[in-house]
Amino acid sequence: MFTDRANEQGAMIAKIIQGKGSPALVAKVQANFAQWLRDHWNEDEGLALAHCVRVLAEACGGVRGEWGTLSGRQQSAVVWFFSLMCLPSPDSGENDAAAFYRQALASGGLANIARTADLLRGQA
């Protein structure tokens, strides 16, 4: 289960993916991400992303699970999407990663999430 803030962030990202995102909505998603970095990671994006990699890899089965089937580029895209959507704190990361993975499985798996992230980032 995600926090209210993550649920709100996810709903805004869904609108953007559906092509219903205004520049103001995109700015709000970006502002939420920046606030997350300030609130939980002392603005250290590298530390935040390292935490996200750790909890995601574990939740997704590590090198022997679905995580291990992804290329490095796909893993990077999934980590980016997870951090942007879930805004996990140091305390909630494991639970958020498990919930994210369950949601990923329901929507076609991690490779599909990586493609969605690439589309959102304009890298597809």
Side-chain angles (χ1 to χ4, degrees):
M1 172 166 263
F2 298 114
T3 64
D4 289 341
R5 187 171 181 187
N7 285 329
E8 176 187 332
Q9 185 83 338
M12 290 187 292
I13 291 170
K15 285 183 183 179
I16 293 167
I17 291 169
Q18 295 166 359
K20 300 176 184 176
S22 67
L25 187 65
V26 171
K28 176 70 174 160
V29 167
Q30 292 170 331
N32 285 346
F33 184 82
Q35 186 67 45
W36 167 70
L37 286 175
R38 283 190 297 278
D39 289 350
H40 297 289
W41 303 101
N42 197 29
E43 298 188 45
D44 187 339
E45 188 170 358
L47 179 63
L49 294 178
H51 175 74
C52 290
V53 168
R54 184 184 64 75
V55 297
L56 270 176
E58 184 177 308
C60 301
V63 295
R64 293 199 169 114
E66 186 176 2
W67 184 257
T69 67
L70 301 176
S71 69
R73 185 176 186 283
Q74 288 173 312
Q75 289 175 351
S76 176
V78 170
V79 168
W80 176 85
F81 192 78
F82 169 68
S83 65
L84 181 68
M85 187 181 98
C86 297
L87 307 170
S89 72
D91 296 332
S92 73
E94 288 84 3
N95 291 335
D96 291 338
F100 179 84
Y101 186 50
R102 283 190 302 274
Q103 193 172 50
L105 289 174
S107 64
L110 294 176
N112 189 47
I113 297 297
R115 281 189 296 280
T116 300
D118 285 343
L119 286 171
L120 192 58
R121 296 191 296 181
Q123 296 181 357

